[in-house]
Amino acid sequence: MLKRYLLAPGPTPVPSEALLAMAMPIIHHRSPDFIPVLDTAKKGLQWLYQTKNDVLILCSTGTGGMVGSVNNFFSPGDKALVINAGNFGERWTKICKAYGLDVKEIAYEWGYAAKPEDVEKALKGDPSIKGVFVQASETSTGVYHDIKALASIVKKYENTIFVVDAISALVAHDLKMDEWGIDVMIGGSQKGLMLPPGLAFVGISDKAWKFADSSKCPRFYFNFKKERENLAKNQTNFTSPVTLIIGLNECLKLLQKEGLGNAFERHDRLAHATREAVRAIGLEFFSQESHSNSVTAIKAPAGLDGQEIYKNLRVKYGITAAGGQGKVKGRIFRIAHLGYADTFDIITAVAGVEMVLKGMGHPVKLGTGVAVAQELLMI
Ligand SMILES: *Cc1c(COP(=O)(O)O)cnc(C)c1O
């Protein structure tokens, strides 16, 4: 038997409170049983998003939330400014192009964070840009983009909205939607929210709702105005993913018990311990600055294949971490500290990495990184 450990940046482990609640018989989404369930989810999401506005719940993966955030607020030909610093930044470009938007990219070398002054310059140069698109945490590189600084720039432009893919950052990073002026913020169930895949969340500002009035992109399944009308009645437009929403309420309850500030602090602490442990082993981060609290991206030592490290962790020791995506496949591997994660997830991951590297012939003194993580996480 091989005991399995899930340490990937999505899907992430699901707490038993949620698993058990999701084992109950299905209730009907148009019956009175479901009204309080959706009402609780709605309020919990507003709390998590730090917003007074509705947060839509969509039955899709996170990418569905990204698609809906393009075709509900923009029109073909609209100018979009995409911050592309990784695999998910590239996805924004692909989605915007699929709907006929006129995409201008600010591209950064993978491993680096967006520079707010570049966005300021682009908007000054062309105030007809209607949307600025970014990731909060670029999961493919382990970089966190400075959302607060970026929001403060876009906020000054009346005809531009700020669209943030916070799918892997929610719960791990403090994202003050209303206070900072984030216009559209997308989340997904299988990351910090500790649920199975299948839900996307979209928080929308008043400024963005005005954009929805003039948007001319074709749409049917992701129709945010219809979702908003339904949400007011504690319904969703189509059949609600009742099971996942019941699980969501359990996870939100756990987070509310912990406190939002404590959840951010926990992710910060785990991420820091992971990085220090990895550094002690003599490995280098792939992220060169502004490290994400959700995932640590690590360079494979010279001569070793990152995919092999990822594979050995899984096959030999039952640890499912992550390899590299897109053009860095083989060059890196990634360890998540996201969602239902705590001290011994980090100890497990670091110990596994040491054992795998040693097994692959890399000089590692076993316990070096583990000791550092223990020191940092001891209470
Ligand atoms: C996981 C992830 C997504 C969405 O992926 P899905 O497979 O559609 O859920 C989008 N952006 C980021 C930054 C992610 O980490």
Side-chain angles (χ1 to χ4, degrees), residues 97-144:
K97 284 190 173 161
Y99 283 94
L101 273 63
D102 178 7
V103 178
K104 186 181 166 194
E105 275 194 355
I106 305 186
Y108 296 94
E109 198 183 326
W110 287 31
Y112 290 86
K115 291 191 182 66
E117 58 268 30
D118 293 344
V119 171
E120 177 125 62
K121 205 171 126 203
L123 286 175
K124 252 190 201 142
D126 187 356
S128 73
I129 290 169
K130 289 198 74 178
V132 175
F133 297 81
V134 72
Q135 273 56 47
S137 168
E138 174 51 78
T139 318
S140 64
T141 64
V143 166
Y144 176 78

Side-chain angles (χ1 to χ4, degrees), residues 158-173:
E158 220 173 287
N159 298 313
T160 313
I161 55 172
F162 187 40
V163 184
V164 178
D165 162 5
I167 295 169
S168 66
L170 262 184
V171 182
H173 285 274

Side-chain angles (χ1 to χ4, degrees), residues 231-243:
L231 200 59
K233 299 176 282 182
N234 287 318
Q235 300 270 295
T236 59
N237 199 9
F238 303 107
T239 304
S240 311
V242 289
T243 307

Side-chain angles (χ1 to χ4, degrees), residues 320-334:
T320 304
Q325 290 177 301
K327 64 183 178 194
V328 294
K329 198 169 184 166
R331 282 174 52 203
I332 69 168
F333 64 101
R334 294 172 297 151

